[in-house]
Amino acid sequence: MKSIMGIVSIFLMLTIQANAQKKIPNITVKNLDGSSLNMNEITKEKGVKILSFWATWCVPCINELDAINDVYEDWKDETNVELIAIATDDARTKKRIKPLINGKGWEYKVLLDENQDLQRALNITTIPHVIVIKDGEIVFRHTGYFPGAEDQLYDVVKKNAK
């Protein structure tokens, strides 16, 4: 009985993955200056973009963005990719975003998903969570970070930048 339940669970997970969302929902997020920005404005542009969902309290998120920052200029030169870091901090922790970014020297576009509306719409339950989009369609999703994961991400970016 347990093996049947296991098989059914795997089938359901594969079905859910196969039917996973392919488009970024049309949800409003904020720039760090407080102005609003619709996700359609970002995704309508051609090319490859990385959306990295993170928070100031998430050490693996910061480690991932630091690792990418070390090679980001090369990535942009070789593939013309743009990384957009979407902070999911709430009202209590959002005041830490600007000081952290300034301290790190990240050159990424940073947006704020203050109410986690975008996060919920994309069914993101854990961070770090990275989404690669090409010409507005989701082509890759990854959760978690370990040293070297940025190399796998770059392989995906290179493949889709062609």
Side-chain angles (χ1 to χ4, degrees):
M1 185 66 169
K2 285 184 179 179
S3 63
I4 292 173
M5 293 298 285
I7 292 170
V8 169
S9 295
I10 291 170
F11 176 76
L12 286 174
M13 287 174 48
L14 292 174
T15 303
I16 290 169
Q17 184 68 25
N19 293 322
Q21 193 167 7
K22 292 287 183 191
K23 297 271 186 187
I24 300 296
N26 187 16
I27 290 180
T28 300
V29 293
K30 290 192 174 181
N31 284 304
L32 292 182
D33 64 6
S35 62
S36 297
L37 180 68
N38 192 305
M39 288 304 294
N40 273 353
E41 295 174 41
I42 294 170
T43 58
K44 73 180 179 187
E45 298 171 8
K46 293 277 184 195
V48 178
K49 298 190 183 321
I50 301 169
L51 304 180
S52 178
F53 290 81
W54 70 287
T56 55
W57 48 264
C58 173
V59 173
C61 301
I62 293 168
N63 290 341
E64 180 174 52
L65 290 170
D66 279 343
I68 294 172
N69 191 51
D70 291 343
V71 292
Y72 187 54
E73 285 299 319
D74 293 337
W75 289 17
K76 287 193 318 187
D77 291 345
E78 294 173 21
T79 64
N80 205 24
V81 68
E82 179 183 16
L83 189 144
I84 301 167
I86 301 176
T88 60
D89 287 89
D90 60 17
R92 287 180 304 132
T93 59
K94 75 177 185 181
K95 63 183 174 221
R96 299 181 195 155
I97 295 172
K98 282 183 185 175
L100 186 121
I101 293 167
N102 291 337
K104 295 288 186 181
W106 294 341
E107 298 294 327
Y108 313 124
K109 178 187 284 186
V110 178
L111 302 175
L112 178 61
D113 184 22
E114 196 170 31
N115 296 321
Q116 291 86 36
D117 293 337
L118 182 59
Q119 186 178 352
R120 272 192 301 280
L122 288 166
N123 201 22
I124 295 172
T125 56
T126 60
I127 55 173
H129 192 105
V130 171
I131 295 176
V132 177
I133 57 175
K134 177 182 181 183
D135 301 334
E137 290 212 7
I138 297 171
V139 294
F140 178 78
R141 294 176 79 137
H142 175 77
T143 301
Y145 175 73
F146 57 88
E150 66 275 8
D151 296 332
Q152 293 175 341
L153 178 60
Y154 185 57
D155 288 342
V156 171
V157 169
K158 278 195 311 191
K159 177 183 163 194
N160 286 288
K162 295 177 183 175

